[in-house]
Amino acid sequence: MNYKKLFALCLSLLLIACDSDDALFDKPSAQQVYPAPSGQYRVGIMEFDITDYREDKLAPELGELRKFTVRVHYPSQLRSTLYHPYFDKWQHQVDYLSAQRPQDAPIHPEQHALQSMLSWSNSKAPIAYHQENGWPVLFYSHGLGLFNADNTELQEELASHGFAVVSINHTYLAGVTSFQKGEQKGLYLPSGKHDVQTPAGRAYFDNNVAPEIAKDVLAAYQWLTQESWQFEHQLNLNNVGMLGFSLGASAAMNACQQLLVCKAAANMDGIVLGDVALNPLNKPLLLFRSENPFSQLEPIYHANQNDSILVSIHGSQHNDFTDQNRWIVGYPSKVDTNTMHNIVKQHMQRFFNHYLKAQALVLAEFEGVSIQHK
C-alpha cells in the first residue's frame, strides 16, 4: 500500500474544500456544517500539550523529546451557544488545507469559510457529574496527513452520549500539529520510506511509526491519570476503549492490546501495523471497511479471538470515515453524507455502550450495509 499516493489522494479531495438549544442547539448555523450531537448531554472541550519524556523517533532531528497535542470532548450540562472553533485557534490547520489547493482550482459557490467553521462544543465547559464511577474514556487517533479534528462530529456524538473522548494529534504524522503557544510542526516522513509496500517503507511503519503512535496513546492515558483534577475527577480511567481511522487504527489496536484496562477497540478502514499485525488483539473489536478497502480487514476479523464485528458499507470510500465529506462540495461518494455519518456514529456508540457500559448490543440496520459478527 503506497502511503505517498494515499496522502496525495487525501489532499486532492481536501482541495475542493467548502462551508456547507433547545432550538438554537438543534439547528446548524451558517458556521456549522453538520448536525448537533444527538445525546442527552451538551459537549465540553479542552485542549492540552503533552510532553512525553522519550526521544521522538519520528522527528527529522535526533534528540527531540516527543511532544503532541490532545483535544478532550466530554459530557457537560452547560447550555451555551458560544461554540469552540472547529479547527485550531491559530488557523494552522486551515492554512495547511488552503495551501494544498491548486491555484487554478475553481471556487465552488457553496464553499465554506473554513476559518469560521464552528463545532458544537463549549470551551472549558464544566464537566457533567457522573453518579457512579466516572465517565468511560475513549482515545481517538487520526489518519496520516490529517489531524485530531478530522472526526470531530463522531467525537462530539460519543461525548453527548456519556463518554470522554481524548483525540490525539500525532506529531509529524499529522498534516500539521498546532501547539497551545502557536508553535507548529508539519508532516514528516523520511525519504524512501513513504511506501508501506516496499521493504524499507514497511519496516519504517512497522518498527517506528506503529510503536510511536501507540506510545502516544499510552502517554496520553498516563497524563490523564495525573491530570484527572482538570475534569473534576469525573473520568473512569479503569474503563477505557480506543478507536482510530486509517493509520490511527493501528495506534488504537496496538495501544489497546498493551493497556490492561482497555476493554475494546474500533478500526475505521485502517491498515494494521506493528504487533497486532502479527498477534491478534484478542479483545472486542469493531471493524469498518469501505467498498474498496484501504486495507484487508477480513483476516483481522477472523484472527481476533474475541467478539468481533465487521461492518462493510457499500459505495463508501476511505475518506468517508472522517468529516471531510462535511467540508467538501461535490465529494465523490456513492453514500449520502448524513447516512454515512449515521452508520458510523450509531455502530460506534452501540459498540462502546455494550463493552464499556454493559448495555445490550443491538446493531443498527441500514440499506447497503452488511455485518459479520462472531
PDB file of all heavy atoms in Angstrom, residues 54-89:
ATOM      1  N   ARG A  54      10.448  10.852  26.250  1.00  0.00           N
ATOM      2  CA  ARG A  54      11.151   9.841  25.470  1.00  0.00           C
ATOM      3  C   ARG A  54      11.633  10.496  24.189  1.00  0.00           C
ATOM      4  O   ARG A  54      11.060  11.495  23.740  1.00  0.00           O
ATOM      5  CB  ARG A  54      10.238   8.656  25.143  1.00  0.00           C
ATOM      6  CG  ARG A  54       9.139   8.951  24.119  1.00  0.00           C
ATOM      7  CD  ARG A  54       8.228   7.746  23.901  1.00  0.00           C
ATOM      8  NE  ARG A  54       7.428   7.831  22.695  1.00  0.00           N
ATOM      9  CZ  ARG A  54       6.217   8.354  22.611  1.00  0.00           C
ATOM     10  NH1 ARG A  54       5.651   8.873  23.685  1.00  0.00           N
ATOM     11  NH2 ARG A  54       5.558   8.368  21.464  1.00  0.00           N
ATOM     12  N   GLU A  55      12.672   9.955  23.600  1.00  0.00           N
ATOM     13  CA  GLU A  55      13.154  10.518  22.351  1.00  0.00           C
ATOM     14  C   GLU A  55      12.132  10.285  21.249  1.00  0.00           C
ATOM     15  O   GLU A  55      11.555   9.209  21.132  1.00  0.00           O
ATOM     16  CB  GLU A  55      14.489   9.888  21.950  1.00  0.00           C
ATOM     17  CG  GLU A  55      15.067  10.501  20.682  1.00  0.00           C
ATOM     18  CD  GLU A  55      16.417   9.932  20.294  1.00  0.00           C
ATOM     19  OE1 GLU A  55      16.913   9.043  21.020  1.00  0.00           O
ATOM     20  OE2 GLU A  55      16.976  10.363  19.269  1.00  0.00           O
ATOM     21  N   ASP A  56      11.924  11.317  20.440  1.00  0.00           N
ATOM     22  CA  ASP A  56      10.959  11.243  19.353  1.00  0.00           C
ATOM     23  C   ASP A  56      11.606  10.569  18.147  1.00  0.00           C
ATOM     24  O   ASP A  56      12.437  11.164  17.463  1.00  0.00           O
ATOM     25  CB  ASP A  56      10.483  12.645  18.980  1.00  0.00           C
ATOM     26  CG  ASP A  56       9.286  12.628  18.046  1.00  0.00           C
ATOM     27  OD1 ASP A  56       9.091  11.608  17.355  1.00  0.00           O
ATOM     28  OD2 ASP A  56       8.546  13.621  18.019  1.00  0.00           O
ATOM     29  N   LYS A  57      11.205   9.330  17.880  1.00  0.00           N
ATOM     30  CA  LYS A  57      11.786   8.573  16.773  1.00  0.00           C
ATOM     31  C   LYS A  57      11.171   8.919  15.424  1.00  0.00           C
ATOM     32  O   LYS A  57      11.588   8.377  14.403  1.00  0.00           O
ATOM     33  CB  LYS A  57      11.648   7.068  17.046  1.00  0.00           C
ATOM     34  CG  LYS A  57      12.452   6.608  18.250  1.00  0.00           C
ATOM     35  CD  LYS A  57      12.337   5.108  18.458  1.00  0.00           C
ATOM     36  CE  LYS A  57      13.159   4.662  19.677  1.00  0.00           C
ATOM     37  NZ  LYS A  57      13.031   3.205  19.912  1.00  0.00           N
ATOM     38  N   LEU A  58      10.184   9.818  15.416  1.00  0.00           N
ATOM     39  CA  LEU A  58       9.578  10.254  14.167  1.00  0.00           C
ATOM     40  C   LEU A  58      10.070  11.626  13.735  1.00  0.00           C
ATOM     41  O   LEU A  58       9.764  12.073  12.630  1.00  0.00           O
ATOM     42  CB  LEU A  58       8.050  10.287  14.313  1.00  0.00           C
ATOM     43  CG  LEU A  58       7.377   8.971  14.711  1.00  0.00           C
ATOM     44  CD1 LEU A  58       5.874   9.172  14.828  1.00  0.00           C
ATOM     45  CD2 LEU A  58       7.697   7.860  13.720  1.00  0.00           C
ATOM     46  N   ALA A  59      10.838  12.302  14.579  1.00  0.00           N
ATOM     47  CA  ALA A  59      11.302  13.654  14.290  1.00  0.00           C
ATOM     48  C   ALA A  59      12.415  13.646  13.239  1.00  0.00           C
ATOM     49  O   ALA A  59      13.178  12.679  13.142  1.00  0.00           O
ATOM     50  CB  ALA A  59      11.812  14.308  15.574  1.00  0.00           C
ATOM     51  N   PRO A  60      12.513  14.726  12.468  1.00  0.00           N
ATOM     52  CA  PRO A  60      13.589  14.802  11.477  1.00  0.00           C
ATOM     53  C   PRO A  60      14.970  14.977  12.085  1.00  0.00           C
ATOM     54  O   PRO A  60      15.983  14.686  11.440  1.00  0.00           O
ATOM     55  CB  PRO A  60      13.204  16.028  10.633  1.00  0.00           C
ATOM     56  CG  PRO A  60      12.275  16.818  11.480  1.00  0.00           C
ATOM     57  CD  PRO A  60      11.567  15.847  12.364  1.00  0.00           C
ATOM     58  N   GLU A  61      15.055  15.458  13.334  1.00  0.00           N
ATOM     59  CA  GLU A  61      16.332  15.656  14.016  1.00  0.00           C
ATOM     60  C   GLU A  61      16.420  14.756  15.240  1.00  0.00           C
ATOM     61  O   GLU A  61      15.424  14.523  15.928  1.00  0.00           O
ATOM     62  CB  GLU A  61      16.487  17.119  14.454  1.00  0.00           C
ATOM     63  CG  GLU A  61      16.357  18.132  13.324  1.00  0.00           C
ATOM     64  CD  GLU A  61      17.512  18.057  12.339  1.00  0.00           C
ATOM     65  OE1 GLU A  61      18.593  17.566  12.722  1.00  0.00           O
ATOM     66  OE2 GLU A  61      17.333  18.500  11.181  1.00  0.00           O
ATOM     67  N   LEU A  62      17.616  14.256  15.544  1.00  0.00           N
ATOM     68  CA  LEU A  62      17.834  13.404  16.709  1.00  0.00           C
ATOM     69  C   LEU A  62      17.776  14.231  17.992  1.00  0.00           C
ATOM     70  O   LEU A  62      18.060  15.426  17.998  1.00  0.00           O
ATOM     71  CB  LEU A  62      19.190  12.704  16.607  1.00  0.00           C
ATOM     72  CG  LEU A  62      19.372  11.722  15.436  1.00  0.00           C
ATOM     73  CD1 LEU A  62      20.806  11.197  15.405  1.00  0.00           C
ATOM     74  CD2 LEU A  62      18.382  10.568  15.551  1.00  0.00           C
ATOM     75  N   GLY A  63      17.402  13.577  19.071  1.00  0.00           N
ATOM     76  CA  GLY A  63      17.469  14.201  20.383  1.00  0.00           C
ATOM     77  C   GLY A  63      16.242  14.979  20.804  1.00  0.00           C
ATOM     78  O   GLY A  63      16.210  15.555  21.896  1.00  0.00           O
ATOM     79  N   GLU A  64      15.206  15.014  19.979  1.00  0.00           N
ATOM     80  CA  GLU A  64      13.987  15.758  20.319  1.00  0.00           C
ATOM     81  C   GLU A  64      13.089  14.905  21.206  1.00  0.00           C
ATOM     82  O   GLU A  64      12.913  13.708  20.973  1.00  0.00           O
ATOM     83  CB  GLU A  64      13.266  16.145  19.033  1.00  0.00           C
ATOM     84  CG  GLU A  64      12.015  16.986  19.232  1.00  0.00           C
ATOM     85  CD  GLU A  64      11.396  17.418  17.906  1.00  0.00           C
ATOM     86  OE1 GLU A  64      12.153  17.718  16.957  1.00  0.00           O
ATOM     87  OE2 GLU A  64      10.146  17.446  17.829  1.00  0.00           O
ATOM     88  N   LEU A  65      12.501  15.526  22.240  1.00  0.00           N
ATOM     89  CA  LEU A  65      11.534  14.821  23.061  1.00  0.00           C
ATOM     90  C   LEU A  65      10.193  14.751  22.337  1.00  0.00           C
ATOM     91  O   LEU A  65       9.816  15.663  21.599  1.00  0.00           O
ATOM     92  CB  LEU A  65      11.346  15.518  24.403  1.00  0.00           C
ATOM     93  CG  LEU A  65      12.538  15.508  25.365  1.00  0.00           C
ATOM     94  CD1 LEU A  65      12.196  16.266  26.637  1.00  0.00           C
ATOM     95  CD2 LEU A  65      12.968  14.072  25.693  1.00  0.00           C
ATOM     96  N   ARG A  66       9.474  13.676  22.561  1.00  0.00           N
ATOM     97  CA  ARG A  66       8.176  13.503  21.926  1.00  0.00           C
ATOM     98  C   ARG A  66       7.158  14.441  22.561  1.00  0.00           C
ATOM     99  O   ARG A  66       6.950  14.438  23.776  1.00  0.00           O
ATOM    100  CB  ARG A  66       7.709  12.046  22.064  1.00  0.00           C
ATOM    101  CG  ARG A  66       6.396  11.727  21.350  1.00  0.00           C
ATOM    102  CD  ARG A  66       6.532  11.800  19.858  1.00  0.00           C
ATOM    103  NE  ARG A  66       5.298  11.403  19.160  1.00  0.00           N
ATOM    104  CZ  ARG A  66       5.061  11.717  17.895  1.00  0.00           C
ATOM    105  NH1 ARG A  66       5.950  12.396  17.187  1.00  0.00           N
ATOM    106  NH2 ARG A  66       3.932  11.325  17.333  1.00  0.00           N
ATOM    107  N   LYS A  67       6.510  15.250  21.736  1.00  0.00           N
ATOM    108  CA  LYS A  67       5.518  16.213  22.185  1.00  0.00           C
ATOM    109  C   LYS A  67       4.344  16.192  21.223  1.00  0.00           C
ATOM    110  O   LYS A  67       4.530  16.162  20.008  1.00  0.00           O
ATOM    111  CB  LYS A  67       6.136  17.618  22.238  1.00  0.00           C
ATOM    112  CG  LYS A  67       5.221  18.702  22.795  1.00  0.00           C
ATOM    113  CD  LYS A  67       5.950  20.035  22.833  1.00  0.00           C
ATOM    114  CE  LYS A  67       5.050  21.146  23.354  1.00  0.00           C
ATOM    115  NZ  LYS A  67       5.732  22.464  23.357  1.00  0.00           N
ATOM    116  N   PHE A  68       3.137  16.168  21.746  1.00  0.00           N
ATOM    117  CA  PHE A  68       1.949  16.138  20.910  1.00  0.00           C
ATOM    118  C   PHE A  68       0.818  16.878  21.616  1.00  0.00           C
ATOM    119  O   PHE A  68       0.960  17.293  22.770  1.00  0.00           O
ATOM    120  CB  PHE A  68       1.545  14.698  20.561  1.00  0.00           C
ATOM    121  CG  PHE A  68       1.314  13.813  21.757  1.00  0.00           C
ATOM    122  CD1 PHE A  68       0.057  13.702  22.334  1.00  0.00           C
ATOM    123  CD2 PHE A  68       2.361  13.077  22.309  1.00  0.00           C
ATOM    124  CE1 PHE A  68      -0.164  12.883  23.436  1.00  0.00           C
ATOM    125  CE2 PHE A  68       2.154  12.248  23.409  1.00  0.00           C
ATOM    126  CZ  PHE A  68       0.889  12.157  23.971  1.00  0.00           C
ATOM    127  N   THR A  69      -0.287  17.056  20.918  1.00  0.00           N
ATOM    128  CA  THR A  69      -1.428  17.761  21.491  1.00  0.00           C
ATOM    129  C   THR A  69      -2.639  16.832  21.568  1.00  0.00           C
ATOM    130  O   THR A  69      -2.728  15.854  20.826  1.00  0.00           O
ATOM    131  CB  THR A  69      -1.797  19.007  20.659  1.00  0.00           C
ATOM    132  OG1 THR A  69      -2.285  18.579  19.378  1.00  0.00           O
ATOM    133  CG2 THR A  69      -0.594  19.905  20.461  1.00  0.00           C
ATOM    134  N   VAL A  70      -3.550  17.164  22.461  1.00  0.00           N
ATOM    135  CA  VAL A  70      -4.809  16.420  22.569  1.00  0.00           C
ATOM    136  C   VAL A  70      -5.974  17.389  22.710  1.00  0.00           C
ATOM    137  O   VAL A  70      -5.829  18.494  23.242  1.00  0.00           O
ATOM    138  CB  VAL A  70      -4.827  15.437  23.765  1.00  0.00           C
ATOM    139  CG1 VAL A  70      -3.744  14.377  23.621  1.00  0.00           C
ATOM    140  CG2 VAL A  70      -4.692  16.168  25.095  1.00  0.00           C
ATOM    141  N   ARG A  71      -7.120  16.956  22.181  1.00  0.00           N
ATOM    142  CA  ARG A  71      -8.407  17.577  22.467  1.00  0.00           C
ATOM    143  C   ARG A  71      -9.214  16.577  23.275  1.00  0.00           C
ATOM    144  O   ARG A  71      -9.231  15.391  22.951  1.00  0.00           O
ATOM    145  CB  ARG A  71      -9.167  17.882  21.180  1.00  0.00           C
ATOM    146  CG  ARG A  71      -8.707  19.089  20.402  1.00  0.00           C
ATOM    147  CD  ARG A  71      -9.608  19.305  19.187  1.00  0.00           C
ATOM    148  NE  ARG A  71      -9.344  20.585  18.552  1.00  0.00           N
ATOM    149  CZ  ARG A  71     -10.070  21.084  17.553  1.00  0.00           C
ATOM    150  NH1 ARG A  71     -11.109  20.400  17.086  1.00  0.00           N
ATOM    151  NH2 ARG A  71      -9.779  22.247  17.025  1.00  0.00           N
ATOM    152  N   VAL A  72      -9.909  17.056  24.294  1.00  0.00           N
ATOM    153  CA  VAL A  72     -10.777  16.177  25.087  1.00  0.00           C
ATOM    154  C   VAL A  72     -12.204  16.702  24.986  1.00  0.00           C
ATOM    155  O   VAL A  72     -12.494  17.833  25.397  1.00  0.00           O
ATOM    156  CB  VAL A  72     -10.337  16.111  26.560  1.00  0.00           C
ATOM    157  CG1 VAL A  72     -11.200  15.083  27.317  1.00  0.00           C
ATOM    158  CG2 VAL A  72      -8.854  15.761  26.673  1.00  0.00           C
ATOM    159  N   HIS A  73     -13.091  15.897  24.398  1.00  0.00           N
ATOM    160  CA  HIS A  73     -14.526  16.189  24.379  1.00  0.00           C
ATOM    161  C   HIS A  73     -15.172  15.390  25.515  1.00  0.00           C
ATOM    162  O   HIS A  73     -14.841  14.215  25.706  1.00  0.00           O
ATOM    163  CB  HIS A  73     -15.153  15.771  23.052  1.00  0.00           C
ATOM    164  CG  HIS A  73     -14.702  16.592  21.876  1.00  0.00           C
ATOM    165  ND1 HIS A  73     -13.626  16.245  21.087  1.00  0.00           N
ATOM    166  CD2 HIS A  73     -15.196  17.741  21.355  1.00  0.00           C
ATOM    167  CE1 HIS A  73     -13.476  17.147  20.131  1.00  0.00           C
ATOM    168  NE2 HIS A  73     -14.410  18.069  20.263  1.00  0.00           N
ATOM    169  N   TYR A  74     -16.105  15.996  26.226  1.00  0.00           N
ATOM    170  CA  TYR A  74     -16.675  15.331  27.400  1.00  0.00           C
ATOM    171  C   TYR A  74     -18.111  15.824  27.635  1.00  0.00           C
ATOM    172  O   TYR A  74     -18.499  16.898  27.156  1.00  0.00           O
ATOM    173  CB  TYR A  74     -15.812  15.610  28.633  1.00  0.00           C
ATOM    174  CG  TYR A  74     -15.537  17.081  28.856  1.00  0.00           C
ATOM    175  CD1 TYR A  74     -16.408  17.880  29.611  1.00  0.00           C
ATOM    176  CD2 TYR A  74     -14.420  17.686  28.287  1.00  0.00           C
ATOM    177  CE1 TYR A  74     -16.168  19.216  29.800  1.00  0.00           C
ATOM    178  CE2 TYR A  74     -14.178  19.039  28.460  1.00  0.00           C
ATOM    179  CZ  TYR A  74     -15.044  19.803  29.216  1.00  0.00           C
ATOM    180  OH  TYR A  74     -14.820  21.149  29.392  1.00  0.00           O
ATOM    181  N   PRO A  75     -18.899  15.050  28.390  1.00  0.00           N
ATOM    182  CA  PRO A  75     -20.283  15.450  28.654  1.00  0.00           C
ATOM    183  C   PRO A  75     -20.340  16.691  29.544  1.00  0.00           C
ATOM    184  O   PRO A  75     -19.558  16.832  30.487  1.00  0.00           O
ATOM    185  CB  PRO A  75     -20.877  14.230  29.381  1.00  0.00           C
ATOM    186  CG  PRO A  75     -19.912  13.118  29.139  1.00  0.00           C
ATOM    187  CD  PRO A  75     -18.579  13.741  28.968  1.00  0.00           C
ATOM    188  N   SER A  76     -21.261  17.572  29.234  1.00  0.00           N
ATOM    189  CA  SER A  76     -21.455  18.779  30.026  1.00  0.00           C
ATOM    190  C   SER A  76     -22.952  19.108  30.058  1.00  0.00           C
ATOM    191  O   SER A  76     -23.710  18.659  29.204  1.00  0.00           O
ATOM    192  CB  SER A  76     -20.671  19.942  29.413  1.00  0.00           C
ATOM    193  OG  SER A  76     -20.911  21.151  30.118  1.00  0.00           O
ATOM    194  N   GLN A  77     -23.338  19.908  31.037  1.00  0.00           N
ATOM    195  CA  GLN A  77     -24.724  20.387  31.117  1.00  0.00           C
ATOM    196  C   GLN A  77     -24.835  21.852  30.717  1.00  0.00           C
ATOM    197  O   GLN A  77     -25.931  22.424  30.742  1.00  0.00           O
ATOM    198  CB  GLN A  77     -25.257  20.227  32.554  1.00  0.00           C
ATOM    199  CG  GLN A  77     -25.222  18.803  33.080  1.00  0.00           C
ATOM    200  CD  GLN A  77     -26.338  17.934  32.517  1.00  0.00           C
ATOM    201  OE1 GLN A  77     -26.940  18.256  31.495  1.00  0.00           O
ATOM    202  NE2 GLN A  77     -26.621  16.815  33.164  1.00  0.00           N
ATOM    203  N   LEU A  78     -23.710  22.486  30.340  1.00  0.00           N
ATOM    204  CA  LEU A  78     -23.727  23.907  30.022  1.00  0.00           C
ATOM    205  C   LEU A  78     -24.593  24.183  28.799  1.00  0.00           C
ATOM    206  O   LEU A  78     -24.397  23.589  27.737  1.00  0.00           O
ATOM    207  CB  LEU A  78     -22.304  24.408  29.758  1.00  0.00           C
ATOM    208  CG  LEU A  78     -22.170  25.899  29.437  1.00  0.00           C
ATOM    209  CD1 LEU A  78     -22.507  26.729  30.672  1.00  0.00           C
ATOM    210  CD2 LEU A  78     -20.772  26.222  28.935  1.00  0.00           C
ATOM    211  N   ARG A  79     -25.534  25.115  28.932  1.00  0.00           N
ATOM    212  CA  ARG A  79     -26.432  25.460  27.835  1.00  0.00           C
ATOM    213  C   ARG A  79     -25.965  26.793  27.245  1.00  0.00           C
ATOM    214  O   ARG A  79     -26.433  27.865  27.633  1.00  0.00           O
ATOM    215  CB  ARG A  79     -27.868  25.535  28.339  1.00  0.00           C
ATOM    216  CG  ARG A  79     -28.299  24.260  29.037  1.00  0.00           C
ATOM    217  CD  ARG A  79     -29.639  24.434  29.730  1.00  0.00           C
ATOM    218  NE  ARG A  79     -30.737  24.348  28.797  1.00  0.00           N
ATOM    219  CZ  ARG A  79     -31.272  23.214  28.364  1.00  0.00           C
ATOM    220  NH1 ARG A  79     -30.787  22.058  28.774  1.00  0.00           N
ATOM    221  NH2 ARG A  79     -32.289  23.223  27.522  1.00  0.00           N
ATOM    222  N   SER A  80     -25.022  26.705  26.332  1.00  0.00           N
ATOM    223  CA  SER A  80     -24.438  27.895  25.730  1.00  0.00           C
ATOM    224  C   SER A  80     -24.318  27.699  24.228  1.00  0.00           C
ATOM    225  O   SER A  80     -24.154  26.572  23.750  1.00  0.00           O
ATOM    226  CB  SER A  80     -23.051  28.149  26.327  1.00  0.00           C
ATOM    227  OG  SER A  80     -22.359  29.145  25.599  1.00  0.00           O
ATOM    228  N   THR A  81     -24.394  28.810  23.481  1.00  0.00           N
ATOM    229  CA  THR A  81     -24.192  28.739  22.036  1.00  0.00           C
ATOM    230  C   THR A  81     -22.879  29.436  21.637  1.00  0.00           C
ATOM    231  O   THR A  81     -22.680  29.787  20.483  1.00  0.00           O
ATOM    232  CB  THR A  81     -25.371  29.384  21.289  1.00  0.00           C
ATOM    233  OG1 THR A  81     -25.549  30.728  21.751  1.00  0.00           O
ATOM    234  CG2 THR A  81     -26.638  28.586  21.513  1.00  0.00           C
ATOM    235  N   LEU A  82     -21.989  29.626  22.609  1.00  0.00           N
ATOM    236  CA  LEU A  82     -20.650  30.158  22.314  1.00  0.00           C
ATOM    237  C   LEU A  82     -19.744  28.974  21.992  1.00  0.00           C
ATOM    238  O   LEU A  82     -19.041  28.449  22.855  1.00  0.00           O
ATOM    239  CB  LEU A  82     -20.122  30.964  23.508  1.00  0.00           C
ATOM    240  CG  LEU A  82     -20.951  32.200  23.881  1.00  0.00           C
ATOM    241  CD1 LEU A  82     -20.402  32.854  25.142  1.00  0.00           C
ATOM    242  CD2 LEU A  82     -20.963  33.194  22.722  1.00  0.00           C
ATOM    243  N   TYR A  83     -19.780  28.563  20.727  1.00  0.00           N
ATOM    244  CA  TYR A  83     -19.140  27.309  20.354  1.00  0.00           C
ATOM    245  C   TYR A  83     -17.668  27.485  19.985  1.00  0.00           C
ATOM    246  O   TYR A  83     -17.245  28.522  19.460  1.00  0.00           O
ATOM    247  CB  TYR A  83     -19.895  26.670  19.186  1.00  0.00           C
ATOM    248  CG  TYR A  83     -21.307  26.276  19.556  1.00  0.00           C
ATOM    249  CD1 TYR A  83     -22.407  26.881  18.952  1.00  0.00           C
ATOM    250  CD2 TYR A  83     -21.539  25.320  20.537  1.00  0.00           C
ATOM    251  CE1 TYR A  83     -23.700  26.536  19.309  1.00  0.00           C
ATOM    252  CE2 TYR A  83     -22.832  24.968  20.893  1.00  0.00           C
ATOM    253  CZ  TYR A  83     -23.910  25.577  20.279  1.00  0.00           C
ATOM    254  OH  TYR A  83     -25.186  25.235  20.642  1.00  0.00           O
ATOM    255  N   HIS A  84     -16.915  26.458  20.274  1.00  0.00           N
ATOM    256  CA  HIS A  84     -15.483  26.395  20.003  1.00  0.00           C
ATOM    257  C   HIS A  84     -15.243  26.267  18.495  1.00  0.00           C
ATOM    258  O   HIS A  84     -16.002  25.596  17.806  1.00  0.00           O
ATOM    259  CB  HIS A  84     -14.917  25.168  20.727  1.00  0.00           C
ATOM    260  CG  HIS A  84     -13.434  25.086  20.775  1.00  0.00           C
ATOM    261  ND1 HIS A  84     -12.692  24.524  19.759  1.00  0.00           N
ATOM    262  CD2 HIS A  84     -12.533  25.463  21.709  1.00  0.00           C
ATOM    263  CE1 HIS A  84     -11.416  24.556  20.082  1.00  0.00           C
ATOM    264  NE2 HIS A  84     -11.294  25.141  21.255  1.00  0.00           N
ATOM    265  N   PRO A  85     -14.194  26.908  17.950  1.00  0.00           N
ATOM    266  CA  PRO A  85     -13.898  26.733  16.525  1.00  0.00           C
ATOM    267  C   PRO A  85     -13.674  25.265  16.169  1.00  0.00           C
ATOM    268  O   PRO A  85     -13.168  24.491  16.995  1.00  0.00           O
ATOM    269  CB  PRO A  85     -12.605  27.540  16.331  1.00  0.00           C
ATOM    270  CG  PRO A  85     -12.599  28.524  17.444  1.00  0.00           C
ATOM    271  CD  PRO A  85     -13.262  27.830  18.605  1.00  0.00           C
ATOM    272  N   TYR A  86     -14.049  24.906  14.962  1.00  0.00           N
ATOM    273  CA  TYR A  86     -13.838  23.528  14.510  1.00  0.00           C
ATOM    274  C   TYR A  86     -12.347  23.240  14.367  1.00  0.00           C
ATOM    275  O   TYR A  86     -11.847  22.226  14.856  1.00  0.00           O
ATOM    276  CB  TYR A  86     -14.554  23.297  13.175  1.00  0.00           C
ATOM    277  CG  TYR A  86     -14.426  21.878  12.662  1.00  0.00           C
ATOM    278  CD1 TYR A  86     -15.417  20.946  12.918  1.00  0.00           C
ATOM    279  CD2 TYR A  86     -13.293  21.471  11.968  1.00  0.00           C
ATOM    280  CE1 TYR A  86     -15.284  19.645  12.483  1.00  0.00           C
ATOM    281  CE2 TYR A  86     -13.151  20.172  11.531  1.00  0.00           C
ATOM    282  CZ  TYR A  86     -14.146  19.261  11.780  1.00  0.00           C
ATOM    283  OH  TYR A  86     -14.004  17.965  11.354  1.00  0.00           O
ATOM    284  N   PHE A  87     -11.617  24.133  13.701  1.00  0.00           N
ATOM    285  CA  PHE A  87     -10.174  23.957  13.514  1.00  0.00           C
ATOM    286  C   PHE A  87      -9.413  24.676  14.628  1.00  0.00           C
ATOM    287  O   PHE A  87     -10.012  25.348  15.464  1.00  0.00           O
ATOM    288  CB  PHE A  87      -9.754  24.469  12.136  1.00  0.00           C
ATOM    289  CG  PHE A  87     -10.313  23.663  10.995  1.00  0.00           C
ATOM    290  CD1 PHE A  87     -11.341  24.167  10.203  1.00  0.00           C
ATOM    291  CD2 PHE A  87      -9.833  22.390  10.710  1.00  0.00           C
ATOM    292  CE1 PHE A  87     -11.858  23.419   9.151  1.00  0.00           C
ATOM    293  CE2 PHE A  87     -10.357  21.636   9.673  1.00  0.00           C
ATOM    294  CZ  PHE A  87     -11.367  22.157   8.884  1.00  0.00           C
ATOM    295  N   ASP A  88      -8.089  24.529  14.636  1.00  0.00           N
ATOM    296  CA  ASP A  88      -7.296  25.087  15.737  1.00  0.00           C
ATOM    297  C   ASP A  88      -7.357  26.622  15.750  1.00  0.00           C
ATOM    298  O   ASP A  88      -7.547  27.266  14.719  1.00  0.00           O
ATOM    299  CB  ASP A  88      -5.846  24.614  15.643  1.00  0.00           C
ATOM    300  CG  ASP A  88      -5.101  25.257  14.482  1.00  0.00           C
ATOM    301  OD1 ASP A  88      -5.267  24.794  13.337  1.00  0.00           O
ATOM    302  OD2 ASP A  88      -4.375  26.232  14.728  1.00  0.00           O
ATOM    303  N   LYS A  89      -7.180  27.198  16.930  1.00  0.00           N
ATOM    304  CA  LYS A  89      -7.353  28.644  17.109  1.00  0.00           C
ATOM    305  C   LYS A  89      -6.295  29.459  16.371  1.00  0.00           C
ATOM    306  O   LYS A  89      -6.495  30.650  16.115  1.00  0.00           O
ATOM    307  CB  LYS A  89      -7.333  28.994  18.594  1.00  0.00           C
ATOM    308  CG  LYS A  89      -6.021  28.678  19.305  1.00  0.00           C
ATOM    309  CD  LYS A  89      -6.120  28.982  20.789  1.00  0.00           C
ATOM    310  CE  LYS A  89      -4.839  28.621  21.527  1.00  0.00           C
ATOM    311  NZ  LYS A  89      -4.959  28.845  22.977  1.00  0.00           N
TER     312      LYS A  89
END
